[in-house]
Amino acid sequence: MVLDKGLGLETAESLMKISGEYVDYLKFGWGTSIVHEQDIIRSKVEMYQSYDITPYTGGTLFELACYQNKLDEFYQEAHDLGFTAIEVSDGSSHIPHDEKLEYIREAKKEGFEVLSEVGKKNPDLDKEITVAERVEFMKEEYKAGSSLVIVEAREGGKNIGIYDSKGNAKESEIDYILDNFDSNKILWEAPNKDQQVFFILKLGNDVNLGNISSDEITSLETLRRGLRGDTFGKI
Amino acid sequence: MVLDKGLGLETAESLMKISGEYVDYLKFGWGTSIVHEQDIIRSKVEMYQSYDITPYTGGTLFELACYQNKLDEFYQEAHDLGFTAIEVSDGSSHIPHDEKLEYIREAKKEGFEVLSEVGKKNPDLDKEITVAERVEFMKEEYKAGSSLVIVEAREGGKNIGIYDSKGNAKESEIDYILDNFDSNKILWEAPNKDQQVFFILKLGNDVNLGNISSDEITSLETLRRGLRGDTFGKI
Amino acid sequence: MVLDKGLGLETAESLMKISGEYVDYLKFGWGTSIVHEQDIIRSKVEMYQSYDITPYTGGTLFELACYQNKLDEFYQEAHDLGFTAIEVSDGSSHIPHDEKLEYIREAKKEGFEVLSEVGKKNPDLDKEITVAERVEFMKEEYKAGSSLVIVEAREGGKNIGIYDSKGNAKESEIDYILDNFDSNKILWEAPNKDQQVFFILKLGNDVNLGNISSDEITSLETLRRGLRGDTFGKI
């Protein structure tokens, strides 16, 4: 899963021509899809889909719509723009978990594939979630209809969720998650190279990784195949 | 204000199509505009202007021309390339402040909009300027004709001017500046996300921010609108 | 020498139009050239050559071919893709130095220009190489036919070879190398700006620098010409 922070249409297409085959999902980061003209977003959505990529709206946009009681308009606009998937998250706002599960079911009924995200964007709030709770949320969200559950790490990947303040993976927490939830249903946000290497060596080269910078698509593919020093001879 | 470090014409245009409406000024960083072919610079200048953006020459180019006694050639070339604005700075060279004010007046007479910058690129020299002097310089430069006074932070934004060695804003210095100078006339260089968040929360979402990376135009706009976690619900 | 991490063809060409004249060599990083479709790699190779740039394959690809006993196929494919130069390295795998020298000679016979690299990608292994050994390797590799010997620093430039854990240049080691080997035959990997400034001020503005990010081509040229604060008035 690649994070699109606002690439131009032509630049994005040039990139997809060379490396689009290595991308499954593409997130229009945060609320970017309402900052830009609808025509250009629609063109980008179609372009990504033509490379067999599923573009989806960032969770913050869902949260804003939820917060403003405008979910119907949000679903309609996402349909109009051509999105077939959306992210449901509660990283920036407080949503009781039962309600979040209901939103996942509702979005599914609206015809969307749903990716849901567990974790808070504010590190202090994020630390209040125990790993046991995290797993419980993941299980419930998957059961409610999420195709993948995203483990939050933001764009920076430091001092949040499964990463310490230097961005190192907290292996015992990750092991706990893996012992209690199917790793194939997890999308690990792993914006930094060392995090990508960690998961590839731990879980295999087809591990689901997210928040990949658009500049790093090819680098990650070389890591997956043992074509970069960090994983050479280890795959 | 966005920093252009040498984008290709087509790539820059692709970016402006999607996010040019959020850019007011675009700086051709440092001396980049004499490193490249005149034709391509002229095309970039026109392209940016067609999106209602004011492109301008980086201050280092002015300082070099000044240092080499070639200001007339500099003004002529800037006109030939289509620039309607230039930056007048003394960050890399020593220019007595009276002389700097005279250059601002002169450039105005030559028909340019002038943005002037206060601060030194060398952190040791920069620390010698007290905040009271900084404000005094800003007042005089504005009076001499600058449309905006830029507070220097370089591309890195650390250990310089209003930022400490970790890039955190020094709030008491900023407050002193705000108490003594009209914030609408200031362009704060704020290359890092936390700095952008700081100023948006402190001064409102229409605060003038500069040295924005071309990759971060859309991210900054989402911050301004409360569409990214850092400012969600706070705008 | 610029590091291409997987730029789209059109984006790369847009960049070369504006700044290709400042690039001599362009490395297809790591194993990127087998991750992408042959057609697009061939088009990129031709495009770079049309700007008088020598594109070459990253060393990891050579090492993989070596490790898998597929050097003949590797040479053939490099020829087919239009490459006239390759990198021979032993940064990710163990290759006895005599064998490495033999590979350099062999690749020359196959018609390639050879750039060879000294250093290990794993910092712990890299530290086992004394500076005297490093120089000895460089001399032998140059004698075996390398046109330039690359001093490894990876994409990050920290805690490896001639850089300490903060990325600062270890000047005494560099002086030892310079005292014992012709600096014109060295290509210093210097991915970070401070490293570029260090070498420009130490060895002159035509020093060979490598692993330059594609975003920093113009910035580096301004540093070389004293058109950026860091080297202003010092060139």
Side-chain angles (χ1 to χ4, degrees):
Chain A
M1 180 268 275
V2 167
L3 176 63
D4 180 335
K5 295 166 66 176
L7 293 172
L9 168 63
E10 298 78 8
T11 300
E13 176 144 34
S14 180
L15 189 62
M16 290 306 110
K17 274 191 215 170
I18 196 165
S19 53
E21 61 185 306
Y22 302 122
V23 182
D24 297 312
Y25 290 93
L26 186 132
K27 179 168 63 182
F28 282 67
W30 327 299
T32 54
S33 52
I34 53 167
V35 165
H36 298 143
E37 298 284 340
Q38 295 216 348
D39 280 354
I40 204 162
I41 292 291
R42 203 175 285 119
S43 300
K44 283 181 72 175
V45 166
E46 272 174 31
M47 183 277 291
Y48 284 127
Q49 289 169 341
S50 76
Y51 287 89
D52 286 326
I53 296 164
T54 302
Y56 69 90
T57 54
T60 308
L61 199 56
F62 162 83
E63 292 184 55
L64 188 78
C66 189
Y67 182 76
Q68 298 181 336
N69 283 314
K70 290 186 178 172
L71 275 176
D72 287 342
E73 289 93 319
F74 167 69
Y75 293 136
Q76 189 55 51
E77 184 166 318
H79 277 309
D80 290 349
L81 292 169
F83 286 103
T84 63
I86 66 165
E87 182 182 311
V88 170
S89 62
D90 60 339
S92 297
S93 58
H94 177 69
I95 302 177
H97 202 247
D98 281 351
E99 243 176 71
K100 188 179 177 192
L101 298 176
E102 192 52 41
Y103 292 131
I104 293 170
R105 284 182 215 109
E106 187 177 287
K108 291 277 290 182
K109 268 186 216 145
E110 294 284 337
F112 293 105
E113 177 183 348
V114 176
L115 296 93
S116 72
E117 187 176 55
V118 171
K120 292 290 180 187
K121 295 196 187 297
N122 180 322
D124 294 331
L125 294 178
D126 193 68
K127 276 174 192 139
E128 291 177 10
I129 312 174
T130 67
V131 65
E133 281 172 318
R134 224 175 272 270
V135 167
E136 202 51 42
F137 292 162
M138 293 169 78
K139 284 183 182 174
E140 290 174 0
E141 294 180 18
Y142 179 66
K143 208 172 149 197
S146 293
S147 54
L148 285 171
V149 183
I150 302 165
V151 181
E152 168 77 83
R154 304 204 67 187
E155 191 191 356
K158 289 182 183 171
N159 193 28
I160 188 157
I162 52 170
Y163 302 114
D164 69 18
S165 61
K166 291 186 172 172
N168 295 317
K170 297 181 185 169
E171 195 151 6
S172 63
E173 295 206 10
I174 292 164
D175 284 336
Y176 181 90
I177 296 172
L178 291 168
D179 286 345
N180 292 282
F181 193 73
D182 178 0
S183 77
N184 292 317
K185 306 302 178 192
I186 305 175
L187 176 51
W188 307 94
E189 290 193 344
N192 303 323
K193 189 185 72 168
D194 289 348
Q195 298 166 349
Q196 297 159 15
V197 170
F198 170 84
F199 277 112
I200 288 169
L201 295 182
K202 186 172 181 75
L203 295 175
N205 58 5
D206 58 348
V207 61
N208 302 320
L209 298 175
N211 273 16
I212 306 305
S213 157
S214 55
D215 291 337
E216 303 294 334
I217 298 171
T218 296
S219 165
L220 174 55
E221 183 61 21
T222 64
L223 288 173
R224 290 183 187 276
R225 296 203 205 176
L227 292 168
R228 197 171 170 179
D230 313 79
T231 57
F232 185 96
K234 297 178 185 168
I235 300 294
Chain B
M1 181 267 276
V2 167
L3 175 63
D4 179 336
K5 297 167 63 176
L7 293 172
L9 169 63
E10 297 79 7
T11 300
E13 177 145 32
S14 179
L15 189 63
M16 290 308 109
K17 273 192 216 169
I18 194 164
S19 54
E21 61 186 306
Y22 303 122
V23 183
D24 297 312
Y25 290 93
L26 186 131
K27 178 168 66 180
F28 280 68
W30 326 299
T32 54
S33 54
I34 56 166
V35 165
H36 297 144
E37 298 284 342
Q38 296 215 347
D39 280 355
I40 204 162
I41 293 290
R42 204 176 284 118
S43 300
K44 282 180 72 175
V45 165
E46 274 174 31
M47 183 276 292
Y48 284 126
Q49 289 168 341
S50 77
Y51 288 88
D52 285 326
I53 296 164
T54 302
Y56 69 90
T57 54
T60 308
L61 199 57
F62 162 83
E63 292 184 56
L64 189 78
C66 189
Y67 182 74
Q68 297 181 337
N69 284 312
K70 289 187 178 170
L71 276 176
D72 287 344
E73 289 95 319
F74 167 69
Y75 293 137
Q76 188 56 53
E77 185 166 317
H79 278 308
D80 290 347
L81 291 170
F83 286 103
T84 62
I86 66 164
E87 181 182 312
V88 170
S89 62
D90 60 339
S92 297
S93 58
H94 177 69
I95 302 177
H97 203 249
D98 281 353
E99 243 176 71
K100 188 179 176 189
L101 299 175
E102 191 51 41
Y103 292 131
I104 292 170
R105 286 182 213 105
E106 189 179 285
K108 291 275 292 178
K109 269 186 216 143
E110 292 285 337
F112 293 105
E113 175 182 349
V114 176
L115 295 94
S116 73
E117 187 176 57
V118 171
K120 292 291 180 186
K121 295 196 187 295
N122 180 321
D124 294 331
L125 294 177
D126 193 70
K127 278 175 191 140
E128 291 176 12
I129 312 173
T130 67
V131 63
E133 282 172 318
R134 224 175 270 271
V135 167
E136 202 50 44
F137 292 162
M138 292 168 79
K139 285 182 181 172
E140 290 173 2
E141 295 179 19
Y142 179 66
K143 208 172 150 197
S146 293
S147 54
L148 285 171
V149 184
I150 301 166
V151 181
E152 169 77 84
R154 304 205 66 186
E155 190 191 355
K158 289 183 182 170
N159 194 27
I160 188 155
I162 52 171
Y163 302 114
D164 69 18
S165 60
K166 292 187 172 173
N168 295 317
K170 296 180 185 169
E171 195 150 6
S172 64
E173 295 206 10
I174 292 165
D175 284 336
Y176 182 91
I177 295 173
L178 291 168
D179 286 345
N180 292 282
F181 193 74
D182 177 359
S183 76
N184 292 317
K185 306 302 179 193
I186 304 176
L187 176 52
W188 306 93
E189 290 192 346
N192 303 324
K193 189 186 71 169
D194 289 348
Q195 298 166 349
Q196 296 159 16
V197 170
F198 170 84
F199 278 112
I200 288 169
L201 296 181
K202 187 172 180 75
L203 294 175
N205 59 6
D206 59 348
V207 62
N208 301 320
L209 298 175
N211 273 17
I212 306 305
S213 158
S214 55
D215 291 337
E216 304 294 334
I217 298 170
T218 295
S219 163
L220 174 54
E221 183 62 20
T222 64
L223 288 174
R224 288 183 188 277
R225 296 205 205 175
L227 291 168
R228 197 171 170 178
D230 312 79
T231 58
F232 186 96
K234 298 177 184 167
I235 300 294
Chain C
M1 179 268 276
V2 167
L3 176 63
D4 179 336
K5 295 168 66 176
L7 293 172
L9 169 62
E10 297 77 9
T11 300
E13 178 144 32
S14 179
L15 189 62
M16 291 307 110
K17 275 193 214 168
I18 195 165
S19 55
E21 62 185 306
Y22 303 121
V23 183
D24 297 312
Y25 290 94
L26 185 133
K27 178 167 66 181
F28 281 69
W30 327 298
T32 53
S33 54
I34 54 166
V35 164
H36 298 143
E37 298 284 340
Q38 295 216 347
D39 279 355
I40 204 162
I41 292 291
R42 204 176 283 118
S43 300
K44 283 180 71 174
V45 166
E46 274 175 30
M47 182 276 292
Y48 284 127
Q49 289 168 341
S50 77
Y51 287 89
D52 286 326
I53 296 165
T54 301
Y56 69 90
T57 54
T60 307
L61 199 57
F62 162 84
E63 292 184 57
L64 187 78
C66 189
Y67 182 74
Q68 298 182 336
N69 283 312
K70 289 186 179 172
L71 275 176
D72 288 343
E73 288 94 320
F74 167 68
Y75 294 136
Q76 189 55 52
E77 184 165 317
H79 277 308
D80 291 348
L81 292 170
F83 285 103
T84 63
I86 66 166
E87 181 181 311
V88 170
S89 62
D90 59 339
S92 298
S93 58
H94 177 68
I95 302 176
H97 203 248
D98 281 353
E99 242 176 71
K100 188 179 178 191
L101 299 176
E102 192 51 40
Y103 292 131
I104 293 170
R105 286 182 212 107
E106 189 178 286
K108 291 277 289 180
K109 270 186 216 145
E110 294 285 337
F112 294 104
E113 176 182 349
V114 176
L115 295 94
S116 72
E117 187 176 55
V118 171
K120 293 291 181 185
K121 295 196 188 295
N122 180 321
D124 295 330
L125 294 177
D126 193 68
K127 276 175 193 141
E128 291 178 10
I129 312 174
T130 67
V131 64
E133 281 172 318
R134 226 175 269 270
V135 167
E136 202 50 43
F137 292 162
M138 293 168 80
K139 285 182 181 173
E140 289 174 1
E141 294 180 18
Y142 180 65
K143 209 173 148 197
S146 293
S147 54
L148 285 171
V149 184
I150 302 165
V151 181
E152 169 76 84
R154 305 204 66 187
E155 190 191 355
K158 289 185 182 168
N159 193 27
I160 187 156
I162 52 172
Y163 302 114
D164 69 18
S165 60
K166 290 185 171 173
N168 295 316
K170 297 179 186 171
E171 195 151 7
S172 64
E173 295 205 11
I174 292 164
D175 285 335
Y176 182 91
I177 294 172
L178 290 168
D179 286 344
N180 292 281
F181 192 74
D182 177 0
S183 76
N184 292 317
K185 306 301 177 192
I186 304 176
L187 176 52
W188 307 93
E189 289 192 345
N192 303 323
K193 189 186 71 168
D194 289 347
Q195 298 166 349
Q196 297 159 17
V197 170
F198 170 84
F199 278 112
I200 288 168
L201 295 181
K202 186 172 180 76
L203 295 175
N205 58 5
D206 59 349
V207 61
N208 302 319
L209 298 176
N211 273 17
I212 306 306
S213 158
S214 55
D215 291 337
E216 303 294 333
I217 298 171
T218 295
S219 163
L220 175 54
E221 183 61 21
T222 64
L223 287 173
R224 290 183 187 277
R225 299 204 202 175
L227 291 169
R228 197 170 170 178
D230 312 79
T231 58
F232 185 95
K234 299 179 183 167
I235 299 294

